[in-house]
Amino acid sequence: MENMGDWEQRNLIYELTQGRELAKQLQLHLNVPSSSQETMESLLQRIQGSYEKALSILKWNTSVAMEVQTAGLATRMVEAPLSPRSGSPRSEDSDRDNKDPEMKDNPKKRRTLPTPRWTQLVPVTPGTPLEVPLDDGFTWRKYGQKDILGAKHPRGYYRCAHRNAQGCLATKQVQRSDEDPLIFEITYHGSHTCTQAVSPSQIPPSSSQENQNQDANLINQQQSLNNLPMNLQKELRVVTEDLDVIPQQQAYASFPDFPPTSNVTTAFSSSMMGKFSPSFISPAESGTNYFPMSATGIHGVQENLNVQSSGPLITDTISAATSTTNSLTAGLGFPFGNIEFEDPNFTFNDPRFFS
DNA sequence: ATTATTTGACCACC
DNA sequence: GGTGGTCAAATAAT
């Protein structure tokens, strides 16, 4: 839509800049004998990811919709297909609340991007322990569940656990796929503005052992996440194929379908952050990404993604996240931090937005 | 006691 | 009136 908007442009610049910075890091590692192969490969992948994303942005701007150029499951644009609107932000709420009366009267003002919205299909991989839900690095709180017409499974509604404390308006909806019960469609609305949205790289060194582990998790997570959409597509099929074996209960004990819920529920989810998604998908639209993930690790993609450590680490991360661990940050490379708020991530509850 | 989840009710939109 | 999204009281978990 329209030409390269400010947001896209900044995103593009960010990606390119990041690619450059990562390349520098890689160079440094090359000079350090002790650097692990793994680390360098990760860097390399991130670099590639940045360029991929940059290209995606460019492609997006040249062709209207970003179509999936990658084989198989792709990252595909879906014209805001999901729930067109929402109900009611009667109170403070909500991400997409563009229904400010003023908005209606002045559709003009609305030319700005709607709340970022994108969907990920998150398969579950085998061997997932019962109460180890997926974690996307954010802490979520479930606030509702609804049976959806035509859907076999109910849809769960989650909001950022920091909504009250930090006014973070990010929400997500989780729904088990009809066709493949082992796939969850996770739709994110809005971007995190809470501290968890901070990119791992911005996290100050942590002191505790625990935190260090988490940092490691995050880094790995970030790395994998940054690359996932682009690099993973091919692998996904493999991953999904493996899925049919596992009892779903094991995958998501906390999912709506499974009453025996644990407090872990909120943490369940996919692995892609909202922040970063817009990098390859216009935030103005919604997109769908297919994402393999499992609580025990993304076995299916490990080798290819070079995120081996994600397995165990993610598990740790999850347990941490489950119990309201705030130290988890997973901004996953969201580009512009606060700057972003001006644009796509920006939610519509900021007065500045309408004036 | 505190915090998170469940679930029916409520609301806005179509 | 039907539907999807959210609220909030009740309940469960820790």
Side-chain angles (χ1 to χ4, degrees), chain A residues 209-221:
Chain A
Q209 202 176 357
E210 204 178 47
N211 284 337
Q212 283 176 349
N213 283 337
Q214 287 180 352
D215 284 354
N217 297 348
L218 290 171
I219 289 167
N220 282 289
Q221 232 178 321

Side-chain angles (χ1 to χ4, degrees), chain A residues 59-116:
Chain A
K59 285 176 185 172
W60 163 265
N61 279 281
T62 42
S63 61
V64 188
M66 157 164 152
E67 45 221 319
V68 191
Q69 38 223 301
T70 38
L73 307 164
T75 302
R76 142 175 99 84
M77 283 305 301
V78 185
E79 277 287 313
L82 317 153
S83 42
R85 111 219 42 287
S86 53
S88 49
R90 65 189 100 158
S91 30
E92 76 258 330
D93 226 9
S94 67
D95 336 53
R96 77 219 111 198
D97 208 12
N98 342 338
K99 24 186 130 153
D100 197 327
E102 228 171 60
M103 215 104 203
K104 270 191 163 177
D105 298 337
N106 309 316
K108 283 204 288 190
K109 298 194 171 185
R110 239 206 83 59
R111 83 169 270 335
T112 4
L113 307 169
T115 306

Side-chain angles (χ1 to χ4, degrees), chain A residues 206-233:
Chain A
S206 41
S207 45
S208 77
Q209 202 176 357
E210 204 178 47
N211 284 337
Q212 283 176 349
N213 283 337
Q214 287 180 352
D215 284 354
N217 297 348
L218 290 171
I219 289 167
N220 282 289
Q221 232 178 321
Q222 181 190 27
Q223 288 172 347
S224 54
L225 294 178
N226 275 336
N227 295 310
L228 243 44
M230 293 305 176
N231 298 336
L232 231 45
Q233 294 148 1

